[in-house]
Amino acid sequence: MMHFTCDCCGTSIRHERYVARIEVSPAFDPDEICEDDLDSDNLEQIAEALHSLETTDDFDLEDCSPKSFRFDLCASCWRRYLKDPLGRDALRRLNFSKN
């Protein structure tokens, strides 16, 4: 028998189990081309970018591949997740003291 635990609150899930799947990937919107773009020397810009990559010892390329997440949720956390999937309300409720 499989045993499931809620990934949000940590309680053991016995009956109702819900799965939340999230995929995050970069959104590449097409750029608009204007007259100035057509007049610029793109080959020179590419050569400069390649040269800067070659001369930099530790360049950090951000991993832009899609990321997938899967969470098992109990019924209570599932209802709470449906109301506020990004957790914005939970962040607003935090009251920090003014030190």
Side-chain angles (χ1 to χ4, degrees), residues 19-55:
V19 176
R21 289 185 178 94
I22 302 170
E23 182 175 298
V24 181
S25 60
F28 296 106
D29 296 326
D31 294 330
E32 291 185 26
I33 298 176
C34 63
E35 286 293 323
D36 293 337
D37 296 331
L38 298 175
D39 292 338
S40 64
D41 186 5
N42 294 327
L43 289 178
E44 185 176 326
Q45 292 174 353
I46 292 171
E48 289 174 5
L50 289 174
H51 179 69
S52 69
L53 284 176
E54 290 172 354
T55 56

Side-chain angles (χ1 to χ4, degrees), residues 6 8-9 16-20 71-85:
C6 179
C8 190
C9 68
E16 289 183 78
R17 179 174 62 94
Y18 298 89
V19 176
F71 303 102
D72 292 313
L73 301 175
C74 66
S76 175
C77 290
W78 171 72
R79 282 190 285 279
R80 203 173 32 228
Y81 178 79
L82 288 180
K83 290 179 184 175
D84 186 24

